[in-house]
Short mmCIF file of all heavy atoms in Angstrom, two decimals:
data_model
loop_
_atom_site.label_atom_id
_atom_site.label_comp_id
_atom_site.label_asym_id
_atom_site.label_seq_id
_atom_site.Cartn_x
_atom_site.Cartn_y
_atom_site.Cartn_z
N LEU A 1 -7.14 38.64 -86.66
CA LEU A 1 -8.46 38.71 -86.03
C LEU A 1 -8.44 38.13 -84.62
O LEU A 1 -9.03 38.70 -83.70
CB LEU A 1 -9.48 37.96 -86.88
CG LEU A 1 -10.90 37.89 -86.35
CD1 LEU A 1 -11.53 39.29 -86.33
CD2 LEU A 1 -11.74 36.96 -87.21
N ALA A 2 -7.72 37.02 -84.44
CA ALA A 2 -7.70 36.34 -83.15
C ALA A 2 -6.73 36.97 -82.16
O ALA A 2 -6.78 36.66 -80.97
CB ALA A 2 -7.35 34.87 -83.35
N GLY A 3 -5.84 37.82 -82.64
CA GLY A 3 -4.88 38.43 -81.73
C GLY A 3 -3.62 37.62 -81.54
O GLY A 3 -2.88 37.83 -80.58
N GLY A 4 -3.35 36.68 -82.42
CA GLY A 4 -2.12 35.89 -82.34
C GLY A 4 -2.34 34.48 -82.82
O GLY A 4 -3.47 33.98 -82.85
N PRO A 5 -1.26 33.81 -83.21
CA PRO A 5 -1.38 32.47 -83.79
C PRO A 5 -1.84 31.40 -82.81
O PRO A 5 -2.43 30.40 -83.22
CB PRO A 5 0.02 32.18 -84.31
CG PRO A 5 0.92 33.04 -83.50
CD PRO A 5 0.12 34.27 -83.19
N THR A 6 -1.60 31.59 -81.52
CA THR A 6 -1.99 30.55 -80.56
C THR A 6 -3.50 30.48 -80.37
O THR A 6 -4.00 29.55 -79.75
CB THR A 6 -1.31 30.77 -79.19
OG1 THR A 6 -1.71 32.04 -78.68
CG2 THR A 6 0.20 30.69 -79.33
N ARG A 7 -4.23 31.45 -80.92
CA ARG A 7 -5.69 31.47 -80.80
C ARG A 7 -6.36 31.05 -82.10
O ARG A 7 -7.54 31.31 -82.29
CB ARG A 7 -6.15 32.85 -80.36
CG ARG A 7 -5.60 33.20 -78.95
CD ARG A 7 -6.09 34.54 -78.46
NE ARG A 7 -7.53 34.73 -78.55
CZ ARG A 7 -8.44 34.31 -77.68
NH1 ARG A 7 -8.06 33.64 -76.62
NH2 ARG A 7 -9.72 34.57 -77.85
N VAL A 8 -5.58 30.41 -83.00
CA VAL A 8 -6.12 29.94 -84.28
C VAL A 8 -5.95 28.43 -84.35
O VAL A 8 -4.86 27.90 -84.10
CB VAL A 8 -5.40 30.61 -85.47
CG1 VAL A 8 -5.91 30.05 -86.79
CG2 VAL A 8 -5.55 32.12 -85.42
N LEU A 9 -7.02 27.75 -84.69
CA LEU A 9 -7.00 26.30 -84.87
C LEU A 9 -7.46 26.00 -86.29
O LEU A 9 -8.49 26.50 -86.73
CB LEU A 9 -7.95 25.61 -83.88
CG LEU A 9 -8.20 24.11 -84.09
CD1 LEU A 9 -6.92 23.31 -83.87
CD2 LEU A 9 -9.30 23.63 -83.19
N SER A 10 -6.67 25.23 -87.03
CA SER A 10 -7.06 24.86 -88.38
C SER A 10 -7.25 23.36 -88.47
O SER A 10 -6.48 22.58 -87.92
CB SER A 10 -6.00 25.29 -89.40
OG SER A 10 -6.42 24.91 -90.70
N LEU A 11 -8.28 22.98 -89.20
CA LEU A 11 -8.55 21.58 -89.46
C LEU A 11 -7.96 21.15 -90.79
O LEU A 11 -7.89 19.96 -91.08
CB LEU A 11 -10.06 21.32 -89.47
CG LEU A 11 -10.84 21.74 -88.23
CD1 LEU A 11 -12.32 21.50 -88.43
CD2 LEU A 11 -10.32 21.02 -87.00
N VAL A 12 -7.52 22.12 -91.61
CA VAL A 12 -7.13 21.80 -92.98
C VAL A 12 -5.87 22.48 -93.49
O VAL A 12 -5.31 22.05 -94.50
CB VAL A 12 -8.29 22.11 -93.95
CG1 VAL A 12 -9.44 21.17 -93.74
CG2 VAL A 12 -8.74 23.55 -93.81
N ALA A 13 -5.39 23.54 -92.87
CA ALA A 13 -4.24 24.30 -93.39
C ALA A 13 -2.93 23.72 -92.87
O ALA A 13 -2.18 24.37 -92.16
CB ALA A 13 -4.37 25.77 -93.02
N PHE A 14 -2.65 22.49 -93.26
CA PHE A 14 -1.48 21.79 -92.76
C PHE A 14 -0.17 22.49 -93.16
O PHE A 14 0.83 22.38 -92.48
CB PHE A 14 -1.46 20.34 -93.25
CG PHE A 14 -2.73 19.60 -92.90
CD1 PHE A 14 -3.56 19.13 -93.90
CD2 PHE A 14 -3.10 19.41 -91.59
CE1 PHE A 14 -4.74 18.47 -93.59
CE2 PHE A 14 -4.27 18.75 -91.26
CZ PHE A 14 -5.09 18.28 -92.27
N ASP A 15 -0.19 23.22 -94.26
CA ASP A 15 1.01 23.92 -94.72
C ASP A 15 1.29 25.20 -93.93
O ASP A 15 2.31 25.85 -94.14
CB ASP A 15 0.90 24.25 -96.21
CG ASP A 15 -0.30 25.13 -96.53
OD1 ASP A 15 -1.26 25.17 -95.73
OD2 ASP A 15 -0.27 25.76 -97.59
N ALA A 16 0.42 25.57 -93.00
CA ALA A 16 0.58 26.80 -92.24
C ALA A 16 1.15 26.57 -90.85
O ALA A 16 1.15 27.48 -90.03
CB ALA A 16 -0.76 27.53 -92.15
N VAL A 17 1.66 25.39 -90.59
CA VAL A 17 2.18 25.08 -89.25
C VAL A 17 3.31 26.02 -88.86
O VAL A 17 3.48 26.34 -87.69
CB VAL A 17 2.59 23.59 -89.16
CG1 VAL A 17 3.84 23.31 -89.96
CG2 VAL A 17 2.78 23.18 -87.71
N SER A 18 4.07 26.52 -89.81
CA SER A 18 5.18 27.42 -89.50
C SER A 18 4.73 28.76 -88.95
O SER A 18 5.52 29.51 -88.39
CB SER A 18 6.04 27.63 -90.75
OG SER A 18 5.29 28.30 -91.74
N THR A 19 3.45 29.09 -89.07
CA THR A 19 2.93 30.36 -88.55
C THR A 19 2.72 30.33 -87.04
O THR A 19 2.50 31.35 -86.43
CB THR A 19 1.59 30.73 -89.23
OG1 THR A 19 0.61 29.75 -88.87
CG2 THR A 19 1.73 30.83 -90.74
N GLY A 20 2.74 29.13 -86.48
CA GLY A 20 2.51 29.00 -85.04
C GLY A 20 1.08 28.68 -84.68
O GLY A 20 0.75 28.58 -83.50
N ILE A 21 0.21 28.53 -85.68
CA ILE A 21 -1.17 28.18 -85.38
C ILE A 21 -1.25 26.73 -84.93
O ILE A 21 -0.31 25.96 -85.13
CB ILE A 21 -2.11 28.41 -86.58
CG1 ILE A 21 -1.78 27.44 -87.73
CG2 ILE A 21 -2.08 29.86 -87.04
CD1 ILE A 21 -2.81 27.40 -88.82
N GLN A 22 -2.37 26.39 -84.33
CA GLN A 22 -2.61 25.00 -83.93
C GLN A 22 -3.24 24.26 -85.11
O GLN A 22 -4.14 24.77 -85.76
CB GLN A 22 -3.55 24.96 -82.74
CG GLN A 22 -3.02 25.68 -81.52
CD GLN A 22 -4.05 25.71 -80.43
OE1 GLN A 22 -4.52 24.67 -79.97
NE2 GLN A 22 -4.43 26.90 -80.00
N ILE A 23 -2.74 23.08 -85.36
CA ILE A 23 -3.27 22.24 -86.43
C ILE A 23 -3.89 21.02 -85.78
O ILE A 23 -3.26 20.36 -84.96
CB ILE A 23 -2.16 21.78 -87.41
CG1 ILE A 23 -1.38 22.98 -87.95
CG2 ILE A 23 -2.74 20.93 -88.52
CD1 ILE A 23 -2.12 23.83 -88.93
N HIS A 24 -5.11 20.71 -86.16
CA HIS A 24 -5.76 19.50 -85.66
C HIS A 24 -5.74 18.46 -86.76
O HIS A 24 -6.31 18.66 -87.82
CB HIS A 24 -7.20 19.77 -85.23
CG HIS A 24 -7.92 18.55 -84.76
ND1 HIS A 24 -7.65 17.99 -83.53
CD2 HIS A 24 -8.81 17.75 -85.36
CE1 HIS A 24 -8.39 16.90 -83.39
NE2 HIS A 24 -9.10 16.74 -84.49
N MET A 25 -5.02 17.38 -86.51
CA MET A 25 -4.95 16.29 -87.48
C MET A 25 -5.43 15.02 -86.80
O MET A 25 -5.15 14.79 -85.63
CB MET A 25 -3.51 16.08 -87.97
CG MET A 25 -2.99 17.22 -88.81
SD MET A 25 -1.39 16.88 -89.53
CE MET A 25 -0.31 17.15 -88.13
N THR A 26 -6.12 14.21 -87.53
CA THR A 26 -6.59 12.95 -86.99
C THR A 26 -6.71 11.94 -88.11
O THR A 26 -6.94 12.30 -89.26
CB THR A 26 -7.94 13.11 -86.28
OG1 THR A 26 -8.32 11.87 -85.71
CG2 THR A 26 -9.03 13.58 -87.20
N GLU A 27 -6.54 10.70 -87.78
CA GLU A 27 -6.78 9.63 -88.74
C GLU A 27 -8.27 9.34 -88.71
O GLU A 27 -8.94 9.59 -87.70
CB GLU A 27 -5.99 8.39 -88.34
CG GLU A 27 -4.48 8.58 -88.43
CD GLU A 27 -3.73 7.34 -88.00
OE1 GLU A 27 -4.30 6.24 -88.04
OE2 GLU A 27 -2.57 7.48 -87.61
N PRO A 28 -8.81 8.83 -89.80
CA PRO A 28 -10.24 8.53 -89.80
C PRO A 28 -10.64 7.68 -88.59
O PRO A 28 -10.02 6.66 -88.31
CB PRO A 28 -10.44 7.76 -91.11
CG PRO A 28 -9.32 8.23 -91.98
CD PRO A 28 -8.16 8.48 -91.04
N GLY A 29 -11.61 8.16 -87.85
CA GLY A 29 -12.11 7.43 -86.69
C GLY A 29 -11.27 7.59 -85.44
O GLY A 29 -11.66 7.12 -84.38
N ALA A 30 -10.13 8.29 -85.51
CA ALA A 30 -9.24 8.41 -84.35
C ALA A 30 -9.44 9.76 -83.66
O ALA A 30 -8.70 10.69 -83.88
CB ALA A 30 -7.79 8.25 -84.78
N GLY A 31 -10.44 9.86 -82.85
CA GLY A 31 -10.66 11.08 -82.08
C GLY A 31 -11.53 12.11 -82.78
O GLY A 31 -11.88 13.11 -82.17
N GLY A 32 -11.86 11.91 -84.04
CA GLY A 32 -12.68 12.86 -84.77
C GLY A 32 -14.02 13.11 -84.12
O GLY A 32 -14.41 14.27 -83.91
N PRO A 33 -14.77 12.06 -83.77
CA PRO A 33 -16.06 12.29 -83.12
C PRO A 33 -15.94 13.06 -81.80
O PRO A 33 -16.74 13.94 -81.52
CB PRO A 33 -16.60 10.88 -82.90
CG PRO A 33 -15.96 10.08 -83.99
CD PRO A 33 -14.58 10.66 -84.13
N GLU A 34 -14.92 12.76 -81.01
CA GLU A 34 -14.73 13.47 -79.75
C GLU A 34 -14.40 14.94 -80.01
O GLU A 34 -14.92 15.84 -79.33
CB GLU A 34 -13.63 12.83 -78.92
CG GLU A 34 -13.41 13.54 -77.60
CD GLU A 34 -12.28 12.94 -76.77
OE1 GLU A 34 -11.75 11.88 -77.13
OE2 GLU A 34 -11.94 13.57 -75.76
N ALA A 35 -13.55 15.20 -81.00
CA ALA A 35 -13.21 16.58 -81.34
C ALA A 35 -14.45 17.35 -81.77
O ALA A 35 -14.64 18.50 -81.37
CB ALA A 35 -12.15 16.61 -82.44
N LEU A 36 -15.29 16.73 -82.57
CA LEU A 36 -16.52 17.40 -83.00
C LEU A 36 -17.45 17.67 -81.82
O LEU A 36 -18.09 18.72 -81.75
CB LEU A 36 -17.23 16.57 -84.07
CG LEU A 36 -16.52 16.53 -85.42
CD1 LEU A 36 -17.25 15.58 -86.36
CD2 LEU A 36 -16.41 17.91 -86.03
N ARG A 37 -17.52 16.74 -80.87
CA ARG A 37 -18.34 16.97 -79.67
C ARG A 37 -17.79 18.16 -78.87
O ARG A 37 -18.55 18.98 -78.35
CB ARG A 37 -18.39 15.72 -78.79
CG ARG A 37 -19.37 14.66 -79.29
CD ARG A 37 -19.60 13.56 -78.28
NE ARG A 37 -18.40 12.77 -78.02
CZ ARG A 37 -18.01 11.73 -78.76
NH1 ARG A 37 -18.73 11.36 -79.80
NH2 ARG A 37 -16.91 11.07 -78.46
#
């Protein structure tokens, strides 16, 4: 749908990193509020 893996961001599909998508990981309180903004 996005036209390629570099245009996909996942907040939860950590097992899909091999596809080339972007994974957003954060520790509780570490950048989460800024990411949501």
Side-chain angles (χ1 to χ4, degrees):
L1 178 66
T6 60
R7 297 183 50 82
V8 177
L9 171 65
S10 180
L11 305 177
V12 291
F14 305 116
D15 60 338
V17 71
S18 64
T19 65
I21 67 168
Q22 300 175 58
I23 306 288
H24 178 75
M25 292 186 282
T26 183
E27 294 179 23
E34 180 182 352
L36 290 175
R37 281 191 295 276

